Amino acid sequence: MLVHLSIKNYAIVDHLDLDLSSGMTVITGETGAGKSIMLDALGLALGDRCDNSVVRQGADKADILASFELTNIPEAKQWLIDHDLVSDDICILRRVINQDGRSRGYINGTPCPLSHLKLLGELLIDIHSQHEHQSLLKLETHRHLLDDYAGSRALAEQVKQLAQQWKQTQQTLQRLSSNSEEQQAKQQLLSYQLEELEKLALADNEVEQLEAEQRNLSQADTILSACQQVLDTCSNDEANILSALSMSVRRLTGFKEPVEGLADATSLLSNAQIQLEEAIAEINHFVDHFDIDPLRQQQVEDRLDAIYSLARKHHLQPTELVELTQRLQDELANIEAGDEKLEELANTLEQLAKDYQQAAEKLSALRKKAAAKLAKAVQQEMQTLGMPGGQFTIELTTINTSEPQLHGLETIEFLVSGNPGQPVRPLNKVASGGELSRISLAIQVITAQTSRVSTLVFDEVDVGIGGPTAEIVGKLLRKLGEQGQVLTVTHLPQVAAQGHHHLFVHKERTKNSTQTAVTALDKQQRIEELARMLGGVDLTKESLAHAEKMLTGG
């Protein structure tokens, strides 16, 4: 249930805070006062699209916050748990729209994409507008309404997913089957390429190792000469560095008593002696194992030529040939497994068709059962809404095809007859604007009774209705309010009189600004507002008496 709505800097609203209760709350006011602004703002908190034009002139951003009590909405609770957004029994949706048109959404203080606001909003509130009768002309709307009424929306989505999977699998199977000749040619090319690569038998890091060896072999004489010179300087000559270091260490440590201040220098010279001895050992090891065989140099160069040649052929770096070998092996394995893949896809396609048929038949059974019940209920409601003798049926027509269809085994269409004795026909063929509005209201009222949400909003759905019918509409909405929470924007006093609560929307004007304000009316104020709705600006004793009679039911 919606318990609080806060609107800041939205359209002509400066700051508006509303506390809402269960039951039927009517919202009235003069034309242009901003009644629908409240619901538009609520829609933004529920994830509707917007642009920067909604930000109040002079403000840097609009801020809308809607708080819901979740005690009787287990689906919404579970959604919050699944998305780690749970916060006791209160859920707060917030939308901030900047002057540049960008916006941010929050659920219980956590930033979230607008798609999450929309998904959660569908579990919290159901908004019916005066424009819904236009969508009622679309067969897609008929299907959605019936599935919602039948409680089969989840099953319908499963049927859709199975049909999509079947179609995708079929397309893959057809593509693989039609490409068999192309695949064979590709298989021959891959086999030839792999034969060359496998004959080369390039090992990991072999290119780097060969290139390093080639560099060493190409300058072998220079390297050995340099090493010998270093060895001579460090250890072979009479005045070599190692001997000098040894003598220096002996001289600094040959005193009877240690000399203060020479300890660090002595340590450094000793370390230098040790490091020099290790370096000499490393150079000697290198020289002893250095191979200057000209034959080996030729082998290395021939090996590198073969590697470079094959790399150029494939337009790759030499170091990428190992990866290419693995990739071609995988691709060839996939092609060679083509027959197995085709068989596997065929089996998958067959199983998907069975799963689809089973789910679709179950969906059809639910739809047929619900269609009869929904049609009867809507037809009964039409009688009370000024269409006596009107008929309403729901036609389910089987689709003659063996391929799984996205929306099940049948098409769904609402048929109506506004006058007794006339055959039922599609809505767009027989219903006038006024009739369509009444039929839409009848459908909305009936389907709302099976709604999984506890808050229902009706935005001027009573347009084009008056007299006794308007009073019936008001009573219907009040009955819905007794089952949960109903918010109703209306111009009809007959509807407004049925509300448990009454909000009056009006404009407050100053010298430099105009803004929308909302007042919760007490009984006397409600009587005056109903009188205004009945007779205009000037309130008379008669209009006030009539209004009081409507409000008290006398």
Side-chain angles (χ1 to χ4, degrees):
M1 181 180 74
L2 179 64
V3 294
H4 184 78
L5 179 63
S6 174
I7 306 171
K8 295 180 182 178
N9 297 324
Y10 175 76
I12 59 173
V13 176
D14 178 17
H15 188 182
L16 188 64
D17 280 302
L18 291 176
D19 291 318
L20 299 159
S21 304
S22 60
M24 176 184 174
T25 298
V26 295
I27 303 170
T28 66
E30 295 180 355
T31 300
K35 298 183 296 299
S36 293
I37 287 178
M38 296 166 51
L39 300 187
D40 291 342
L42 176 60
L44 292 180
L46 299 171
D48 286 353
R49 293 183 178 180
C50 70
D51 54 47
N52 61 347
S53 64
V54 304
V55 181
R56 188 174 64 87
Q57 185 69 30
D60 59 346
K61 63 182 179 181
D63 197 332
I64 303 156
L65 184 147
S67 299
F68 292 85
E69 206 278 321
L70 303 180
T71 302
N72 298 317
I73 318 178
E75 295 89 348
K77 278 187 177 182
Q78 188 58 51
W79 191 95
L80 289 170
I81 291 172
D82 293 341
H83 292 80
D84 295 324
L85 295 168
V86 66
S87 179
D88 300 325
D89 285 332
I90 293 293
C91 175
I92 300 175
L93 306 185
R94 184 184 176 204
R95 182 84 172 273
V96 178
I97 303 102
N98 294 326
Q99 187 65 259
D100 59 7
R102 291 181 296 179
S103 70
R104 302 185 304 277
Y106 301 87
I107 299 176
N108 288 336
T110 301
C112 64
L114 297 184
S115 58
H116 280 190
L117 286 180
K118 202 166 190 66
L119 288 171
L120 180 56
E122 292 175 354
L123 302 176
L124 296 171
I125 194 166
D126 193 4
I127 299 179
H128 302 265
S129 73
Q130 60 176 310
H131 305 294
E132 280 197 17
H133 65 272
Q134 297 173 0
S135 66
L136 197 60
L137 299 178
K138 301 177 181 178
L139 297 185
E140 180 183 7
T141 303
H142 301 180
R143 186 181 67 252
H144 287 324
L145 285 170
L146 180 59
D147 282 337
D148 282 341
Y149 187 80
S152 58
R153 180 66 78 92
L155 182 58
E157 182 62 27
Q158 180 187 352
V159 166
K160 181 179 179 180
Q161 291 177 359
L162 286 169
Q164 289 174 332
Q165 292 171 8
W166 184 91
K167 188 66 175 177
Q168 292 168 357
T169 303
Q170 184 200 43
Q171 290 173 347
T172 303
L173 183 61
Q174 289 177 341
R175 185 176 66 254
L176 292 178
S177 299
S178 62
N179 291 340
S180 57
E181 291 185 4
E182 180 182 342
Q183 295 291 78
Q184 289 176 2
K186 190 172 184 180
Q187 182 179 7
Q188 292 177 353
L189 175 61
L190 287 173
S191 298
Y192 171 74
Q193 292 174 330
L194 271 173
E195 185 179 353
E196 284 186 317
L197 288 165
E198 290 171 351
K199 184 178 180 180
L200 184 67
L202 185 64
D204 290 336
N205 302 319
E206 184 181 354
V207 174
E208 294 90 340
Q209 294 170 0
L210 287 171
E211 289 176 340
E213 187 177 0
Q214 183 194 41
R215 286 193 298 270
N216 290 341
L217 290 170
S218 65
Q219 52 183 348
D221 293 338
T222 304
I223 293 172
L224 287 176
S225 176
C227 288
Q228 190 59 52
Q229 289 175 3
V230 171
L231 289 172
D232 290 344
T233 302
C234 292
S235 62
N236 294 339
D237 292 343
E238 292 182 2
N240 62 73
I241 297 174
L242 184 59
S243 296
L245 282 173
S246 299
M247 182 181 297
S248 298
V249 171
R250 286 197 302 273
R251 286 177 177 176
L252 293 179
T253 57
F255 304 110
K256 293 180 179 181
E257 298 291 336
V259 180
E260 186 177 354
L262 291 177
D264 289 343
T266 303
S267 176
L268 290 170
L269 288 171
S270 296
N271 289 336
Q273 180 183 353
I274 294 171
Q275 290 179 355
L276 184 58
E277 289 172 346
E278 292 177 353
I280 291 170
E282 287 289 333
I283 295 173
N284 279 321
H285 182 271
F286 175 80
V287 171
D288 292 342
H289 293 82
F290 190 76
D291 186 2
I292 57 173
D293 181 5
L295 180 60
R296 175 56 185 168
Q297 183 175 357
Q298 185 61 46
Q299 291 173 343
V300 170
E301 291 178 352
D302 290 345
R303 176 66 172 167
L304 285 173
D305 285 343
I307 294 172
Y308 293 157
S309 176
L310 194 55
R312 286 193 298 271
K313 184 175 182 179
H314 289 280
H315 306 288
L316 295 173
Q317 293 297 320
T319 54
E320 297 175 326
L321 289 175
V322 173
E323 181 183 349
L324 173 64
T325 302
Q326 183 61 53
R327 187 165 68 247
L328 295 184
Q329 287 173 342
D330 293 340
E331 193 171 350
L332 183 60
N334 287 334
I335 294 176
E336 290 174 344
D339 291 341
E340 294 181 7
K341 183 67 174 178
L342 288 173
E343 184 178 354
E344 180 184 341
L345 285 172
N347 292 335
T348 300
L349 192 68
E350 183 180 356
Q351 186 59 49
L352 283 171
K354 291 180 180 178
D355 293 343
Y356 169 86
Q357 191 66 25
Q358 183 178 2
E361 288 177 356
K362 183 177 179 181
L363 177 62
S364 293
L366 290 174
R367 284 173 170 174
K368 289 175 183 177
K369 183 177 179 180
K373 185 177 179 181
L374 176 58
K376 181 179 179 181
V378 172
Q379 182 168 302
Q380 290 176 345
E381 211 63 65
M382 287 169 58
Q383 315 306 310
T384 65
L385 292 175
M387 299 181 70
Q391 300 179 62
F392 183 88
T393 63
I394 301 176
E395 184 175 80
L396 279 68
T397 304
T398 301
I399 301 173
N400 294 320
T401 178
S402 58
E403 292 191 0
Q405 301 298 302
L406 290 178
H407 304 302
L409 303 177
E410 60 279 313
T411 59
I412 299 167
E413 185 172 17
F414 292 172
L415 304 177
V416 66
S417 169
N419 300 299
Q422 293 183 346
V424 292
R425 298 177 61 192
L427 289 175
N428 60 349
K429 300 293 185 182
V430 296
S432 64
E435 289 175 331
L436 198 58
S437 180
R438 296 185 187 189
I439 295 168
S440 175
L441 180 58
I443 293 172
Q444 291 176 47
V445 169
I446 295 301
T447 55
Q449 295 178 35
T450 60
S451 175
R452 59 184 176 180
V453 301
S454 60
T455 298
L456 304 172
V457 177
F458 293 89
D459 185 10
E460 298 186 5
V461 296
D462 47 21
V463 170
I465 297 172
T469 303
E471 183 177 354
I472 293 171
V473 170
K475 290 180 178 179
L476 287 173
L477 296 176
R478 182 181 179 90
K479 184 178 179 181
L480 288 177
E482 291 170 353
Q483 300 171 6
Q485 182 185 44
V486 169
L487 306 179
T488 303
V489 176
T490 183
H491 287 286
L492 299 178
Q494 298 95 325
V495 174
Q498 296 296 327
H500 297 98
H501 318 284
H502 195 144
L503 299 177
F504 176 64
V505 183
H506 55 97
K507 289 182 178 179
E508 292 183 346
R509 295 179 173 87
T510 64
K511 184 177 181 180
N512 299 318
S513 66
T514 300
Q515 63 184 36
T516 293
V518 179
T519 302
L521 303 183
D522 58 25
K523 181 177 180 181
Q524 184 57 40
Q525 290 171 325
R526 289 189 69 181
I527 291 173
E528 293 175 1
E529 170 63 3
L530 291 176
R532 182 195 66 78
M533 297 173 73
L534 282 166
V537 178
D538 297 327
L539 303 183
T540 64
K541 291 182 179 180
E542 291 77 9
S543 64
L544 288 169
H546 188 189
E548 182 174 9
K549 183 177 180 181
M550 292 177 64
L551 188 63
T552 58

